[in-house]
Amino acid sequence: MTKTFSISNGASATAKSREEASPMCCISDKTLLARYFIHTEYSQNSLTRSAPLANDSQARSGARFHTSYDKRYIIKTITSEDVAEMHNILKKYHQFIVECHGNTLLPQFLGMYRLTVDGVEVYMIVTRNVFSHRLSVYRKYDLKGSTVAREASDKEKAKELPTFKDNDFINDGQKIHIDENNKKMFLEKLKKDVEFLAQLKLMDYSLLVGIHDVERAEQEEVECEENDGEEEGESDGTHPIGTPPDSPGNTLNSSLPLAPGEFDPAIDVYGIKSHENAPRKEVYFMAIIDILTHYDAKKKAAHAAKTVKHGAGAEISTVNPEQYSKRFLDFIANILT
């Protein structure tokens, strides 16, 4: 049975087995998306023009990820509990986005879908990609502000682009080198966002951080051009090597020439450049992810169990939303320099 799927403009899916996909909600309406996030025609084009790309990342919950062919959107499988929580917060999420005029680090939800394959239902959510569609990320971190069991496993570290965690960040001596103006704006947005999440009794979210090394990218581009020049001499000239004649082009004027380390802030909305005195010239992509965990009885029981195991003063990840938001904000403020 073919597992590959595509979301069409009519929200249907085709494959060798009997499949059906239906939109559960378009978040939240076309006016909201067009005004604060992105025109729906662009996201539909990105999701339907070519098949999404499988991602080797897998969440602890078992969630799977795909990236749209142009790397602008993420498709993530979610649980039925996540679906219920999305419906619970949707009205307040919509209101918050309107009130802050889309100036937020919260996930930019674009749609939620149910895919039925031979009677088995899979739920998916579509969000804007935190990372750039053109500037490669060389290191990424998932930060919660907790230090208990917050390091990447050996299995994770073996991946091409591992997701490191809080203790890895600390042990690496990593810092986010941005200027005072960007730091002030970033922390103001972050504070409003986590206060909103605390009001909704949500916790266990993370700050996803991706780091682009400008000098490394330049060096790799030079090496790539040198290799391409050698291979061109062996090509018959019909089509560039590795580029099929019907390969889809990108949208949103992504072909505009940009210097190394430069990006279009209308597309890469989470990007911030390092300041002039930073040890390395970098671009950081940072936003909040995984906001659908409610502090319910199950989480309260987990908090009690972890407190007994690690002690009352331990920086465990499962704490009440108010404590979680304060600790999260304090941790992120301390890594910005």
Side-chain angles (χ1 to χ4, degrees), residues 32 36-37 93-102 104 106:
L32 175 72
Y36 300 121
F37 291 165
Y93 170 87
H94 178 282
Q95 181 181 351
F96 180 79
I97 297 301
V98 171
E99 289 177 353
C100 73
H101 305 288
T104 177
L106 294 178

Side-chain angles (χ1 to χ4, degrees), residues 8 14 18 28 50 60 74 100 113 148 175 187 189 192 195 197 217 224 245 267 289 322:
S8 75
T14 17
R18 187 172 181 275
S28 175
S50 189
R60 187 174 54 184
I74 298 296
C100 73
Y113 298 84
V148 173
K175 289 287 185 179
L187 289 177
K189 283 192 287 187
K192 290 179 182 177
E195 287 176 349
L197 296 176
C224 184
I267 301 176
I289 60 170
E322 290 76 18

Side-chain angles (χ1 to χ4, degrees), residues 250-319:
N250 286 335
T251 57
L252 296 180
N253 297 322
S254 61
S255 60
L256 292 176
L258 293 169
E262 297 293 327
F263 57 91
D264 184 346
I267 301 176
D268 296 328
V269 298
Y270 300 114
I272 303 177
K273 295 179 183 178
S274 60
H275 59 66
E276 292 181 355
N277 297 321
R280 291 178 302 278
K281 190 176 181 181
E282 297 174 326
V283 180
Y284 309 104
F285 299 94
M286 302 181 288
I288 298 172
I289 60 170
D290 300 335
I291 68 168
L292 297 177
T293 301
H294 192 266
Y295 191 65
D296 54 14
K298 184 178 178 181
K299 284 295 182 182
K300 290 176 183 177
H303 168 70
K306 288 183 179 180
T307 300
V308 170
K309 181 178 180 180
H310 300 288
E315 294 290 341
I316 59 176
S317 60
T318 310
V319 294

Side-chain angles (χ1 to χ4, degrees), residues 99-337:
E99 289 177 353
C100 73
H101 305 288
N103 189 25
T104 177
L105 298 169
L106 294 178
Q108 294 191 6
F109 296 119
L110 303 175
M112 186 162 66
Y113 298 84
R114 179 177 57 241
L115 176 67
T116 305
V117 182
D118 292 337
V120 179
E121 293 183 340
V122 178
Y123 302 101
M124 301 175 293
I125 199 156
V126 180
T127 60
R128 184 195 284 268
N129 193 355
V130 174
F131 298 156
S132 172
H133 71 291
R134 59 176 294 272
L135 298 182
S136 299
V137 164
Y138 296 99
R139 199 163 183 86
K140 64 175 176 174
Y141 295 91
D142 179 298
L143 304 176
K144 293 181 182 292
S146 168
T147 54
V148 173
R150 290 293 297 163
E151 52 273 321
S153 65
D154 291 338
K155 181 181 178 181
E156 181 66 29
K157 291 176 181 177
K159 294 180 180 179
E160 183 178 356
L161 182 62
T163 301
F164 293 101
K165 299 182 180 179
D166 301 66
N167 287 334
D168 303 308
F169 191 96
I170 294 169
N171 293 335
D172 291 344
Q174 184 69 58
K175 289 287 185 179
I176 305 299
H177 302 276
I178 57 177
D179 64 35
E180 286 301 317
N181 186 49
N182 278 321
K183 179 180 178 180
K184 180 175 180 292
M185 291 190 296
F186 182 86
L187 289 177
E188 285 176 353
K189 283 192 287 187
L190 190 68
K191 185 174 185 293
K192 290 179 182 177
D193 290 343
V194 299
E195 287 176 349
F196 169 70
L197 296 176
Q199 289 171 12
L200 296 181
K201 302 300 180 186
L202 297 173
M203 42 79 70
D204 211 28
Y205 44 85
S206 305
L207 186 76
L208 181 63
V209 178
I211 303 175
H212 171 78
D213 186 321
V214 178
E215 292 181 359
R216 175 175 171 176
E218 284 185 276
Q219 181 60 37
E220 289 183 355
E221 186 175 349
V222 170
E223 293 173 359
C224 184
E225 288 176 353
E226 290 174 352
N227 291 335
D228 286 347
E230 293 173 4
E231 291 176 353
E232 268 185 23
E234 301 171 8
S235 172
D236 61 6
T238 305
H239 297 291
I241 291 176
T243 306
D246 59 347
S247 62
N250 286 335
T251 57
L252 296 180
N253 297 322
S254 61
S255 60
L256 292 176
L258 293 169
E262 297 293 327
F263 57 91
D264 184 346
I267 301 176
D268 296 328
V269 298
Y270 300 114
I272 303 177
K273 295 179 183 178
S274 60
H275 59 66
E276 292 181 355
N277 297 321
R280 291 178 302 278
K281 190 176 181 181
E282 297 174 326
V283 180
Y284 309 104
F285 299 94
M286 302 181 288
I288 298 172
I289 60 170
D290 300 335
I291 68 168
L292 297 177
T293 301
H294 192 266
Y295 191 65
D296 54 14
K298 184 178 178 181
K299 284 295 182 182
K300 290 176 183 177
H303 168 70
K306 288 183 179 180
T307 300
V308 170
K309 181 178 180 180
H310 300 288
E315 294 290 341
I316 59 176
S317 60
T318 310
V319 294
N320 70 70
E322 290 76 18
Q323 184 181 348
Y324 191 96
S325 63
K326 183 181 184 305
R327 186 182 65 191
F328 180 82
L329 189 62
D330 289 344
F331 181 87
I332 302 305
N334 286 332
I335 67 174
L336 302 180
T337 182

Side-chain angles (χ1 to χ4, degrees), residues 13-29:
T14 17
K16 292 181 180 178
S17 61
R18 187 172 181 275
E19 299 186 356
E20 181 183 353
S22 56
M24 302 185 68
C25 59
C26 289
I27 306 188
S28 175
D29 55 50

Side-chain angles (χ1 to χ4, degrees), residues 66-86:
H66 283 72
T67 306
S68 63
Y69 83 90
D70 58 5
K71 301 181 181 179
R72 289 194 171 94
Y73 306 101
I74 298 296
I75 304 166
K76 177 187 177 183
T77 60
I78 57 175
T79 66
S80 56
E81 289 81 6
D82 292 332
V83 172
E85 192 60 43
M86 173 60 78

